[in-house]
Amino acid sequence: MAELSSLAPTRVGQAPSSLAVRGGVAIKSMQPTRSAEGFSVKSVMKNTEVEPPPECGAFKTRPLEAPTGFRKFYERGDFPIALRHDSKGSKIAWKIEIRQIDFHHYLPLFFDGLRETEHPLEFFARQGVHDMLEQGTRDQILPVIPQIIIPVKGRFNMQPVQ
């Protein structure tokens, strides 16, 4: 409403520069405005509206570019796991003891599965990583760390991170 008070009749010499004065009454000028990109020469000219910057899409969800290795192995049935329901919720039923599993092969695949968003893939990946890191020995986990850097980086590049 502050703009309405600036449109009130004023004397000829007291009108703001953005208003035209006709017959002793200040009225907004009806000159066409042009739009220009920010930080350009045109953006500092009179009667120019600066366009807002384009959206960067930082919070837009990004779909998976290709099926993960985890999804391929799960659909073929290559993982020694099954879903077990009990009174406390769902758990992974391992068909082989975790300490006997080849960590060089399976741990990077489970970390790659952290990019999945569908049930049960998301649950299997998260719980599988947790179980393997919890029950694996130091000698099994440490040599695999360089192989899990890329899957972890891929998970952090996804949006939204849960």
Side-chain angles (χ1 to χ4, degrees):
M1 289 296 168
E3 292 180 17
L4 291 178
S5 64
S6 67
L7 294 177
T10 59
R11 291 188 177 181
V12 176
Q14 297 177 349
S17 61
S18 65
L19 301 176
V21 179
R22 291 193 183 126
V25 177
I27 36 179
K28 263 193 161 173
S29 68
M30 304 306 258
Q31 294 179 354
T33 58
R34 60 181 155 249
S35 63
E37 294 182 7
F39 303 104
S40 66
V41 175
K42 290 182 180 181
S43 66
V44 294
M45 295 178 165
K46 289 183 180 180
N47 299 325
T48 303
E49 292 181 11
V50 179
E51 297 174 356
E55 292 185 17
C56 64
F59 298 105
K60 188 171 31 171
T61 57
R62 299 176 193 153
L64 288 175
E65 297 154 0
T68 62
F70 183 82
R71 179 182 292 266
K72 290 177 185 176
F73 274 75
Y74 177 77
E75 289 173 351
R76 283 192 311 206
D78 289 345
F79 286 122
I81 57 175
L83 186 60
R84 182 179 58 166
H85 300 284
D86 61 359
S87 61
K88 297 179 184 176
S90 300
K91 292 187 177 182
I92 291 181
W94 291 90
K95 297 176 184 175
I96 303 173
E97 275 192 46
I98 295 178
R99 293 178 187 225
Q100 296 176 355
I101 291 178
D102 182 15
F103 273 67
H104 283 280
H105 180 69
Y106 286 110
L107 191 59
L109 286 173
F110 277 97
F111 269 98
D112 190 32
L114 293 176
R115 294 189 302 158
E116 294 290 343
T117 56
E118 297 176 11
H119 181 75
L121 297 174
E122 176 187 16
F123 171 74
F124 279 139
R126 188 171 292 172
Q127 191 64 39
V129 167
H130 180 267
D131 290 350
M132 290 179 81
L133 292 178
E134 184 178 83
Q135 296 181 18
T137 64
R138 183 179 194 177
D139 295 333
Q140 290 173 320
I141 297 171
L142 286 180
V144 184
I145 289 178
Q147 295 174 355
I148 64 174
I149 291 172
I150 293 174
V152 170
K153 185 179 176 183
R155 173 59 182 137
F156 284 133
N157 285 335
M158 285 186 54
Q159 295 291 335
V161 176
Q162 295 178 352

